[in-house]
């Protein structure tokens, strides 16, 4: 019988990407399942999702939220580990938290001082995360300003003992 995943890892997964590398590292220690944002928002490809991404709303956002809710309802995850959330807003997260009490950890290895790396969805969701993990020391005060409950500085964006440790605390 297959072990149920305790972590749902949400990110853009593709061969050679750092999200894929983190997934491999985490899943070696903790039962983890991927939820691939690439299926909704393909990177480096011109699709209709590209238009909706620029407009910051629309069908891909709705489908992502619907599918994520369905995934959380049908499994007993303890943690959602999301990488650089630009697609789910605070109301989406509050609805997911009504389904099940769980921790939501945000990981971001891009600086939030560059506008394209954070939008209103990103900023308004920060207070809902159990913990924000960042690789940028200069972003620590900004995360506090936006209401982060807990912030951890991770020096290595790919493989790090502190990253794995964040799931057990």
């Amino acid at each position: 019988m297959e072990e149920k995943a305790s972590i749902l890892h949400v990110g853009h997964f593709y061969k050679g990407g750092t999200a894929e590398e983190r997934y491999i590292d985490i899943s070696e220690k903790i039962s983890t399942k991927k939820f691939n944002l690439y299926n909704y928002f393909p990177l480096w490809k011109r699709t209709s999702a590209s238009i909706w991404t620029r407009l910051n709303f629309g069908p891909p956002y709705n489908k992502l939220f619907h599918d994520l809710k369905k995934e959380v309802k049908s499994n007993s995850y303890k943690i959602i580990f999301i990488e650089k959330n630009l697609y789910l807003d605070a109301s989406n997260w509050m609805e997911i938290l009504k389904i099940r009490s769980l921790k939501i950890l945000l990981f971001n290895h891009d600086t939030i001082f560059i506008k394209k790396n954070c939008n209103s969805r990103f900023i308004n969701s920060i207070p809902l995360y159990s913990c924000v993990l960042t690789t940028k020391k200069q972003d620590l005060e900004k995360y506090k300003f936006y209401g982060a409950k807990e912030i951890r500085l991770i020096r290595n964006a790919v493989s790090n003992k502190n990253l794995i440790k964040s799931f057990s605390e």
Side-chain angles (χ1 to χ4, degrees), residues 5-11 26 32-33 35 37 68-69 71-73 75-83 85 88 92-93 95-97 99-107 128-131 133 166-167:
S6 60
I7 296 175
L8 181 62
H9 188 164
V10 180
I26 294 164
T32 307
K33 183 177 178 183
F35 188 92
L37 293 172
L68 184 60
K69 255 184 15 179
E71 182 67 29
V72 170
K73 278 182 183 176
N75 293 284
S76 55
Y77 300 110
K78 292 179 176 63
I79 297 170
I80 295 178
F81 178 63
I82 186 160
E83 305 219 9
N85 173 40
L88 297 161
N92 296 144
W93 286 120
E95 201 167 318
I96 287 169
L97 288 169
I99 297 168
R100 175 168 291 107
S101 175
L102 44 71
K103 287 184 181 180
I104 304 172
L105 305 179
L106 170 71
F107 178 82
L128 296 172
Y129 300 126
S130 305
C131 183
L133 305 157
S166 296
F167 298 116

Side-chain angles (χ1 to χ4, degrees), residues 32-72:
T32 307
K33 183 177 178 183
K34 283 184 200 177
F35 188 92
N36 199 349
L37 293 172
Y38 192 86
N39 298 331
Y40 307 89
F41 299 95
L43 301 174
W44 310 295
K45 260 170 118 175
R46 287 203 163 239
T47 66
S48 61
S50 315
I51 296 162
W52 296 113
T53 303
R54 281 195 298 277
L55 295 173
N56 207 17
F57 76 95
Y61 290 90
N62 299 337
K63 177 136 178 59
L64 165 63
F65 176 55
H66 170 76
D67 291 352
L68 184 60
K69 255 184 15 179
K70 185 176 169 186
E71 182 67 29
V72 170

Side-chain angles (χ1 to χ4, degrees), residues 7 22 25 41 61 79 98 101 115 133-134 152 164:
I7 296 175
R22 277 185 290 283
D25 290 345
F41 299 95
Y61 290 90
I79 297 170
K98 285 179 187 175
S101 175
K115 189 177 179 181
L133 305 157
T134 180
R152 293 191 187 177
I164 303 296

